[in-house]
Coordinates of all heavy atoms in Angstrom, one line a residue:
M1 N -10.9 5.7 23.5 CA -10.0 6.7 23.1 C -10.7 8.0 23.2 O -11.2 8.6 22.3 CB -9.6 6.5 21.7 CG -8.7 5.3 21.5 SD -8.0 5.4 19.8 CE -8.0 3.7 19.4
A2 N -10.7 8.5 24.4 CA -11.5 9.7 24.8 C -10.8 11.0 24.1 O -9.6 11.2 24.2 CB -11.5 9.9 26.2
G3 N -11.6 11.7 23.4 CA -11.2 13.0 22.9 C -10.5 13.1 21.6 O -10.0 14.1 21.2
V4 N -10.3 11.9 20.9 CA -9.6 12.0 19.7 C -10.5 11.9 18.4 O -10.0 12.1 17.3 CB -8.5 10.9 19.6 CG1 -7.4 11.1 20.6 CG2 -9.1 9.5 19.7
G5 N -11.7 11.6 18.6 CA -12.7 11.5 17.5 C -12.5 10.2 16.7 O -11.6 9.4 16.9
W6 N -13.5 10.0 15.8 CA -13.5 8.8 15.0 C -12.3 8.7 14.0 O -11.7 7.6 13.9 CB -14.8 8.6 14.2 CG -15.9 8.3 15.0 CD1 -16.9 9.2 15.5 CD2 -16.2 7.1 15.6 NE1 -17.8 8.5 16.3 CE2 -17.4 7.2 16.4 CE3 -15.6 5.8 15.6 CZ2 -17.9 6.1 17.1 CZ3 -16.2 4.8 16.3 CH2 -17.3 5.0 17.0
I7 N -12.0 9.7 13.3 CA -10.8 9.7 12.4 C -9.5 9.4 13.2 O -8.7 8.6 12.8 CB -10.7 11.0 11.6 CG1 -12.0 11.3 10.8 CG2 -9.5 11.0 10.7 CD1 -12.3 10.2 9.7
G8 N -9.4 10.2 14.3 CA -8.2 9.9 15.1 C -8.2 8.5 15.7 O -7.1 7.9 15.8
A9 N -9.3 8.0 16.1 CA -9.3 6.6 16.6 C -8.9 5.6 15.5 O -8.2 4.7 15.8 CB -10.7 6.2 17.1
L10 N -9.3 5.8 14.2 CA -8.9 5.0 13.1 C -7.4 5.1 12.9 O -6.7 4.1 12.7 CB -9.6 5.3 11.9 CG -11.1 5.0 11.9 CD1 -11.8 5.5 10.6 CD2 -11.3 3.5 12.0
I11 N -6.9 6.3 12.9 CA -5.4 6.5 12.7 C -4.6 5.9 13.8 O -3.7 5.1 13.6 CB -5.1 8.0 12.5 CG1 -5.7 8.6 11.3 CG2 -3.6 8.2 12.6 CD1 -5.7 10.1 11.2
I12 N -5.0 6.2 15.1 CA -4.3 5.6 16.2 C -4.4 4.1 16.2 O -3.5 3.4 16.5 CB -4.8 6.2 17.5 CG1 -4.4 7.7 17.6 CG2 -4.3 5.4 18.7 CD1 -5.0 8.4 18.8
G13 N -5.6 3.6 15.9 CA -5.8 2.1 15.9 C -4.9 1.5 14.8 O -4.3 0.4 15.1
A14 N -4.8 2.1 13.6 CA -4.0 1.5 12.6 C -2.5 1.5 13.0 O -1.8 0.5 12.9 CB -4.2 2.2 11.3
L15 N -2.1 2.6 13.6 CA -0.7 2.7 14.0 C -0.4 1.7 15.2 O 0.6 1.0 15.2 CB -0.3 4.1 14.4 CG -0.2 5.1 13.3 CD1 0.0 6.5 13.9 CD2 1.0 4.8 12.5
A16 N -1.3 1.7 16.1 CA -1.1 0.8 17.3 C -1.1 -0.7 16.9 O -0.3 -1.4 17.4 CB -2.2 1.1 18.3
G17 N -2.0 -1.0 16.0 CA -2.1 -2.4 15.5 C -0.8 -2.8 14.7 O -0.3 -3.9 14.9
W18 N -0.3 -1.8 13.9 CA 1.0 -2.1 13.2 C 2.1 -2.3 14.2 O 2.9 -3.2 14.0 CB 1.2 -1.0 12.2 CG 2.5 -1.1 11.5 CD1 2.7 -1.9 10.4 CD2 3.7 -0.5 11.7 NE1 4.0 -1.8 10.0 CE2 4.7 -0.9 10.8 CE3 4.1 0.5 12.7 CZ2 6.0 -0.5 10.8 CZ3 5.4 0.9 12.7 CH2 6.3 0.5 11.7
I19 N 2.2 -1.4 15.2 CA 3.2 -1.5 16.2 C 3.1 -2.8 17.0 O 4.1 -3.5 17.1 CB 3.2 -0.3 17.2 CG1 3.6 1.0 16.5 CG2 4.1 -0.6 18.4 CD1 3.2 2.2 17.3
A20 N 1.9 -3.2 17.4 CA 1.7 -4.5 18.1 C 2.0 -5.7 17.2 O 2.6 -6.7 17.6 CB 0.3 -4.6 18.6
E21 N 1.7 -5.6 15.9 CA 2.0 -6.6 14.9 C 3.5 -6.9 14.8 O 4.0 -8.0 14.8 CB 1.4 -6.2 13.6 CG 1.8 -7.2 12.4 CD 1.3 -6.7 11.1 OE1 1.5 -5.5 10.8 OE2 0.6 -7.5 10.4
N22 N 4.3 -5.8 14.8 CA 5.7 -5.9 14.7 C 6.4 -6.4 16.0 O 7.3 -7.1 16.0 CB 6.3 -4.6 14.3 CG 6.1 -4.3 12.9 OD1 6.1 -5.1 12.0 ND2 5.8 -3.0 12.6
I23 N 5.8 -5.9 17.2 CA 6.3 -6.3 18.5 C 6.1 -7.8 18.7 O 6.9 -8.6 19.1 CB 5.7 -5.5 19.6 CG1 6.3 -4.1 19.6 CG2 6.0 -6.1 21.0 CD1 5.6 -3.1 20.5
M24 N 4.9 -8.2 18.4 CA 4.5 -9.6 18.6 C 4.8 -10.6 17.5 O 4.5 -11.8 17.6 CB 2.9 -9.7 18.9 CG 2.5 -8.8 20.1 SD 3.2 -9.4 21.7 CE 2.3 -11.0 21.9
K25 N 5.4 -10.1 16.4 CA 5.8 -10.9 15.3 C 4.6 -11.7 14.7 O 4.7 -12.9 14.5 CB 6.9 -11.9 15.6 CG 8.1 -11.3 16.3 CD 9.0 -10.6 15.2 CE 10.3 -10.2 15.8 NZ 10.5 -8.8 16.1
S26 N 3.5 -11.0 14.5 CA 2.3 -11.6 13.8 C 2.1 -11.0 12.5 O 2.7 -9.9 12.1 CB 1.1 -11.4 14.7 OG 0.7 -10.0 14.8
D27 N 1.3 -11.6 11.7 CA 1.0 -11.1 10.3 C -0.5 -10.8 10.2 O -1.3 -11.8 10.2 CB 1.5 -12.1 9.3 CG 1.3 -11.6 7.9 OD1 1.4 -10.3 7.7 OD2 1.2 -12.4 7.0
Q28 N -0.9 -9.6 10.2 CA -2.3 -9.2 10.2 C -2.5 -8.2 9.0 O -1.6 -7.6 8.5 CB -2.7 -8.4 11.5 CG -2.3 -9.1 12.8 CD -3.1 -10.3 13.0 OE1 -4.2 -10.4 12.5 NE2 -2.6 -11.3 13.8
S29 N -3.8 -8.1 8.6 CA -4.2 -7.2 7.6 C -4.4 -5.8 8.2 O -4.4 -5.6 9.4 CB -5.5 -7.6 6.9 OG -6.5 -7.6 7.9
L30 N -4.5 -4.8 7.3 CA -4.7 -3.4 7.8 C -6.0 -3.3 8.6 O -6.0 -2.7 9.7 CB -4.8 -2.5 6.6 CG -5.1 -1.0 6.9 CD1 -4.0 -0.4 7.8 CD2 -5.2 -0.2 5.6
L31 N -7.1 -4.0 8.1 CA -8.3 -3.9 8.9 C -8.2 -4.6 10.3 O -8.7 -4.0 11.2 CB -9.4 -4.6 8.1 CG -10.8 -4.6 8.7 CD1 -11.3 -3.2 8.9 CD2 -11.8 -5.4 7.9
M32 N -7.5 -5.7 10.3 CA -7.3 -6.3 11.6 C -6.4 -5.5 12.5 O -6.6 -5.4 13.7 CB -6.6 -7.7 11.4 CG -6.5 -8.5 12.7 SD -8.0 -8.7 13.6 CE -8.7 -10.1 12.7
N33 N -5.4 -4.8 11.9 CA -4.6 -3.9 12.7 C -5.4 -2.8 13.3 O -5.2 -2.4 14.5 CB -3.5 -3.3 11.9 CG -2.3 -4.2 11.6 OD1 -2.2 -5.2 12.3 ND2 -1.5 -3.9 10.6
I34 N -6.3 -2.2 12.5 CA -7.2 -1.1 13.0 C -8.1 -1.7 14.2 O -8.2 -1.1 15.2 CB -8.0 -0.5 11.9 CG1 -7.1 0.2 10.9 CG2 -9.1 0.4 12.4 CD1 -7.8 0.7 9.6
L35 N -8.7 -2.8 13.9 CA -9.5 -3.4 15.0 C -8.8 -3.8 16.2 O -9.3 -3.5 17.3 CB -10.2 -4.7 14.4 CG -11.3 -4.5 13.4 CD1 -11.8 -5.8 12.8 CD2 -12.5 -3.7 14.0
L36 N -7.6 -4.4 16.1 CA -6.8 -4.7 17.3 C -6.4 -3.4 18.0 O -6.4 -3.4 19.3 CB -5.5 -5.4 16.9 CG -5.6 -6.9 16.6 CD1 -4.3 -7.4 16.0 CD2 -6.0 -7.6 17.9
G37 N -6.0 -2.4 17.3 CA -5.7 -1.1 18.0 C -6.8 -0.5 18.7 O -6.7 -0.1 19.9
I38 N -8.0 -0.4 18.1 CA -9.1 0.2 18.7 C -9.6 -0.6 19.9 O -9.9 -0.1 21.0 CB -10.3 0.4 17.7 CG1 -9.8 1.5 16.7 CG2 -11.6 0.8 18.4 CD1 -10.8 1.7 15.6
V39 N -9.8 -1.9 19.7 CA -10.3 -2.8 20.8 C -9.2 -2.9 21.9 O -9.6 -2.9 23.1 CB -10.7 -4.2 20.3 CG1 -11.0 -5.1 21.4 CG2 -11.8 -4.1 19.3
G40 N -8.0 -2.9 21.5 CA -6.9 -2.9 22.5 C -6.9 -1.7 23.4 O -6.7 -1.7 24.6
A41 N -7.2 -0.5 22.7 CA -7.3 0.7 23.5 C -8.5 0.7 24.4 O -8.4 1.2 25.6 CB -7.4 1.9 22.5
L42 N -9.6 0.2 23.9 CA -10.8 0.2 24.8 C -10.5 -0.7 26.0 O -10.9 -0.4 27.1 CB -12.0 -0.3 24.0 CG -12.5 0.6 22.9 CD1 -13.6 -0.1 22.1 CD2 -13.1 1.8 23.5
V43 N -10.0 -1.9 25.8 CA -9.7 -2.9 26.9 C -8.7 -2.3 27.9 O -9.0 -2.3 29.1 CB -9.2 -4.2 26.3 CG1 -8.7 -5.1 27.4 CG2 -10.3 -4.9 25.5
L44 N -7.6 -1.7 27.4 CA -6.6 -1.2 28.4 C -7.0 0.0 29.0 O -6.7 0.2 30.2 CB -5.3 -1.1 27.7 CG -4.1 -1.0 28.6 CD1 -3.9 -2.2 29.5 CD2 -2.8 -0.7 27.9
N45 N -7.8 0.9 28.3 CA -8.3 2.1 29.0 C -9.3 1.7 30.1 O -9.2 2.3 31.2 CB -9.1 3.0 28.0 CG -8.1 4.0 27.3 OD1 -7.3 4.5 27.9 ND2 -8.3 4.1 26.0
W46 N -10.1 0.7 29.8 CA -11.0 0.2 30.9 C -10.3 -0.3 32.1 O -10.6 0.0 33.2 CB -11.9 -0.9 30.3 CG -12.9 -1.4 31.3 CD1 -14.1 -0.9 31.7 CD2 -12.7 -2.6 32.1 NE1 -14.6 -1.7 32.7 CE2 -13.8 -2.7 32.9 CE3 -11.7 -3.6 32.1 CZ2 -14.0 -3.8 33.8 CZ3 -11.9 -4.7 33.0 CH2 -13.0 -4.7 33.8
L47 N -9.2 -1.1 31.8 CA -8.4 -1.7 32.9 C -7.7 -0.6 33.7 O -7.6 -0.6 34.9 CB -7.4 -2.7 32.4 CG -7.9 -4.0 32.0 CD1 -6.8 -4.8 31.3 CD2 -8.4 -4.8 33.2
L48 N -7.1 0.4 33.0 CA -6.4 1.5 33.7 C -7.4 2.3 34.5 O -7.0 2.7 35.7 CB -5.7 2.4 32.7 CG -4.5 1.8 32.0 CD1 -4.0 2.8 30.9 CD2 -3.4 1.6 33.0
I49 N -8.6 2.6 34.0 CA -9.6 3.3 34.8 C -10.0 2.5 36.0 O -10.2 3.1 37.1 CB -10.7 3.8 33.9 CG1 -10.2 4.9 33.0 CG2 -11.9 4.3 34.8 CD1 -11.2 5.3 31.9
A50 N -10.2 1.2 35.8 CA -10.7 0.4 36.9 C -9.6 0.3 38.0 O -9.9 0.3 39.2 CB -11.0 -1.0 36.4
V51 N -8.3 0.2 37.6 CA -7.3 0.0 38.6 C -6.8 1.3 39.2 O -6.7 1.4 40.4 CB -6.1 -0.8 38.0 CG1 -4.9 -0.9 39.0 CG2 -6.6 -2.2 37.6
F52 N -6.5 2.3 38.3 CA -5.8 3.5 38.8 C -6.8 4.7 38.8 O -6.4 5.7 39.3 CB -4.7 3.8 37.9 CG -3.6 2.8 37.9 CD1 -3.3 2.0 36.8 CD2 -2.8 2.6 39.0 CE1 -2.3 1.1 36.8 CE2 -1.8 1.6 39.0 CZ -1.6 0.8 37.9
G53 N -8.0 4.6 38.2 CA -8.9 5.7 38.2 C -8.6 6.7 37.1 O -9.3 7.8 37.0
T54 N -7.6 6.5 36.3 CA -7.3 7.4 35.2 C -6.6 6.7 34.0 O -6.3 5.5 34.2 CB -6.3 8.5 35.7 OG1 -6.2 9.5 34.7 CG2 -5.0 8.0 36.1
T55 N -6.4 7.3 32.9 CA -5.7 6.8 31.8 C -4.8 7.8 31.2 O -4.8 9.0 31.6 CB -6.7 6.2 30.8 OG1 -6.0 5.5 29.8 CG2 -7.6 7.3 30.2
L56 N -4.0 7.4 30.2 CA -3.1 8.4 29.5 C -3.9 9.2 28.6 O -4.8 8.7 27.9 CB -2.0 7.6 28.8 CG -1.1 6.8 29.6 CD1 -0.1 6.1 28.7 CD2 -0.4 7.6 30.6
G57 N -3.7 10.5 28.5 CA -4.4 11.4 27.6 C -3.6 11.8 26.4 O -2.4 11.6 26.3
G58 N -4.3 12.4 25.5 CA -3.7 12.9 24.2 C -3.4 11.8 23.2 O -3.7 10.6 23.5
W59 N -3.0 12.2 22.1 CA -2.7 11.2 21.0 C -1.6 10.3 21.3 O -1.8 9.1 21.0 CB -2.4 12.0 19.7 CG -3.6 12.6 19.1 CD1 -4.4 13.6 19.6 CD2 -4.2 12.3 17.8 NE1 -5.4 14.0 18.7 CE2 -5.3 13.2 17.6 CE3 -3.8 11.4 16.8 CZ2 -6.1 13.1 16.5 CZ3 -4.6 11.4 15.7 CH2 -5.7 12.2 15.5
I60 N -0.5 10.8 21.8 CA 0.6 9.9 22.1 C 0.2 8.9 23.3 O 0.6 7.7 23.2 CB 1.9 10.7 22.5 CG1 2.3 11.7 21.4 CG2 3.0 9.8 22.9 CD1 2.7 10.9 20.1
G61 N -0.4 9.4 24.3 CA -0.8 8.6 25.4 C -1.8 7.5 24.9 O -1.6 6.3 25.3
Q62 N -2.7 7.8 24.1 CA -3.7 6.8 23.6 C -3.0 5.9 22.6 O -3.4 4.7 22.5 CB -4.9 7.5 22.9 CG -5.8 8.1 23.9 CD -6.4 7.1 24.9 OE1 -6.9 6.1 24.5 NE2 -6.1 7.4 26.2
L63 N -2.0 6.3 21.9 CA -1.2 5.4 21.0 C -0.5 4.4 21.8 O -0.5 3.2 21.5 CB -0.2 6.2 20.1 CG 0.6 5.4 19.1 CD1 -0.3 4.6 18.2 CD2 1.6 6.3 18.4
I64 N 0.1 4.8 22.9 CA 0.8 3.9 23.8 C -0.2 2.9 24.4 O 0.0 1.6 24.4 CB 1.5 4.6 24.9 CG1 2.7 5.4 24.3 CG2 2.1 3.7 26.0 CD1 3.3 6.4 25.2
V65 N -1.3 3.3 24.9 CA -2.3 2.5 25.5 C -2.9 1.5 24.4 O -3.0 0.3 24.7 CB -3.5 3.3 26.1 CG1 -4.7 2.5 26.4 CG2 -3.0 4.1 27.3
A66 N -3.1 2.0 23.2 CA -3.7 1.1 22.2 C -2.7 0.1 21.8 O -3.1 -1.1 21.5 CB -4.1 2.0 21.0
A67 N -1.4 0.4 21.6 CA -0.4 -0.5 21.2 C -0.2 -1.6 22.3 O -0.2 -2.8 22.0 CB 0.9 0.2 21.0
V68 N -0.2 -1.2 23.5 CA 0.0 -2.2 24.6 C -1.3 -3.1 24.7 O -1.2 -4.3 24.9 CB 0.3 -1.5 26.0 CG1 0.2 -2.5 27.1 CG2 1.6 -0.8 25.9
G69 N -2.4 -2.5 24.5 CA -3.7 -3.3 24.6 C -3.8 -4.2 23.4 O -4.2 -5.4 23.5
A70 N -3.3 -3.8 22.2 CA -3.3 -4.7 21.0 C -2.3 -5.9 21.3 O -2.6 -7.0 20.9 CB -3.0 -3.9 19.8
C71 N -1.2 -5.6 21.8 CA -0.2 -6.7 22.2 C -0.9 -7.7 23.2 O -0.7 -8.9 23.0 CB 1.1 -6.1 22.8 SG 2.1 -5.3 21.6
L72 N -1.6 -7.1 24.1 CA -2.3 -8.0 25.1 C -3.3 -8.9 24.4 O -3.4 -10.1 24.7 CB -2.9 -7.1 26.2 CG -3.7 -7.8 27.3 CD1 -2.7 -8.6 28.1 CD2 -4.4 -6.8 28.1
L73 N -4.1 -8.3 23.5 CA -5.1 -9.1 22.7 C -4.4 -10.2 21.9 O -4.9 -11.3 21.8 CB -5.9 -8.2 21.8 CG -6.9 -7.2 22.6 CD1 -7.6 -6.4 21.6 CD2 -7.9 -8.0 23.4
I74 N -3.3 -9.9 21.2 CA -2.6 -10.9 20.4 C -2.1 -12.0 21.3 O -2.2 -13.2 21.0 CB -1.4 -10.2 19.6 CG1 -2.0 -9.3 18.5 CG2 -0.5 -11.3 19.0 CD1 -0.9 -8.5 17.8
F75 N -1.6 -11.6 22.5 CA -1.1 -12.6 23.4 C -2.2 -13.5 23.9 O -2.1 -14.8 23.9 CB -0.4 -11.9 24.6 CG 0.0 -12.8 25.7 CD1 1.2 -13.6 25.5 CD2 -0.7 -12.9 26.9 CE1 1.6 -14.5 26.5 CE2 -0.3 -13.8 27.9 CZ 0.9 -14.5 27.7
V76 N -3.3 -13.0 24.2 CA -4.5 -13.7 24.7 C -5.0 -14.7 23.6 O -5.3 -15.8 23.8 CB -5.6 -12.9 25.3 CG1 -6.9 -13.6 25.5 CG2 -5.1 -12.2 26.6
A77 N -5.1 -14.1 22.3 CA -5.5 -14.9 21.2 C -4.6 -16.1 21.0 O -5.0 -17.2 20.7 CB -5.6 -14.1 20.0
R78 N -3.3 -15.9 21.1 CA -2.4 -17.0 21.0 C -2.5 -18.1 22.1 O -2.4 -19.3 21.8 CB -0.9 -16.5 21.0 CG -0.5 -15.8 19.7 CD 0.9 -15.3 19.8 NE 1.2 -14.6 18.5 CZ 2.3 -14.0 18.4 NH1 3.2 -13.8 19.3 NH2 2.6 -13.4 17.2
L79 N -2.8 -17.6 23.3 CA -3.0 -18.6 24.4 C -4.3 -19.4 24.1 O -4.3 -20.6 24.4 CB -3.2 -17.9 25.7 CG -2.0 -17.3 26.4 CD1 -2.4 -16.6 27.7 CD2 -1.0 -18.4 26.7
I80 N -5.3 -18.8 23.6 CA -6.6 -19.5 23.3 C -6.4 -20.5 22.2 O -6.9 -21.6 22.3 CB -7.7 -18.5 23.0 CG1 -8.1 -17.7 24.3 CG2 -8.9 -19.2 22.5 CD1 -9.0 -16.6 24.0
R81 N -5.7 -20.1 21.2 CA -5.4 -21.0 20.0 C -4.6 -22.2 20.4 O -4.7 -23.3 19.8 CB -4.8 -20.3 18.9 CG -5.8 -19.5 18.0 CD -5.1 -19.1 16.8 NE -5.2 -17.6 16.8 CZ -4.3 -16.8 16.4 NH1 -3.2 -17.2 15.8 NH2 -4.5 -15.5 16.4
R82 N -3.7 -22.1 21.3 CA -2.8 -23.2 21.7 C -3.4 -24.3 22.6 O -2.9 -25.3 22.7 CB -1.6 -22.7 22.5 CG -0.6 -21.9 21.5 CD 0.6 -21.5 22.3 NE 1.4 -20.7 21.4 CZ 2.4 -20.0 21.8 NH1 2.8 -20.1 23.1 NH2 3.1 -19.3 21.0
K83 N -4.6 -24.0 23.1 CA -5.2 -24.9 24.0 C -5.8 -26.1 23.1 O -6.4 -25.9 22.1 CB -6.4 -24.3 24.8 CG -6.0 -23.2 25.7 CD -5.2 -23.7 26.8 CE -4.8 -22.6 27.8 NZ -4.0 -23.0 28.8
P84 N -5.5 -27.3 23.6 CA -6.0 -28.5 22.8 C -7.5 -28.7 23.0 O -8.2 -28.3 23.8 CB -5.2 -29.7 23.4 CG -4.7 -29.2 24.7 CD -4.7 -27.7 24.7

C-alpha cells in the first residue's frame, strides 16, 4: 500500500477485510479482517506490478486492490481446507 502510511494501511485493511468478508460470506474477527486486507493488498499489488507494471493509486484504488486481494486469499484458503 504505497503512500498511505501505517495508519492508512490499517484503516484500508480493516475496510477491505470487512468488504471481502461480506462478499465471500465468511465470518472473521476484526484482527483477521485487517490482516486479510493488508496481506491481500500486498499480494494483489505485487501481481499487478508483475503483470502490468503498475497498480492503482490513492486510498480508493488501494481499497479496491486490498478488497479484491482479500477475496482472493479467502478463496485460496477455502480451496486448501477442502482438500482431503
Side-chain angles (χ1 to χ4, degrees):
M1 290 194 218
V4 296
W6 286 103
I7 301 294
L10 290 175
I11 293 168
I12 290 172
L15 286 172
W18 179 78
I19 291 168
E21 176 183 49
N22 289 319
I23 290 172
M24 300 297 289
K25 306 283 191 255
S26 66
D27 186 26
Q28 309 291 334
S29 66
L30 177 62
L31 181 61
M32 186 57 81
N33 284 343
I34 293 171
L35 288 174
L36 279 172
I38 291 173
V39 174
L42 292 172
V43 168
L44 198 59
N45 274 319
W46 179 81
L47 283 172
L48 287 172
I49 289 172
V51 173
F52 299 111
T54 189
T55 187
L56 300 177
W59 284 65
I60 300 298
Q62 287 301 304
L63 179 61
I64 293 167
V65 168
V68 172
C71 287
L72 181 67
L73 290 176
I74 292 171
F75 176 75
V76 169
R78 285 180 179 170
L79 284 178
I80 291 171
R81 275 191 243 145
R82 288 186 186 169
K83 297 292 179 185

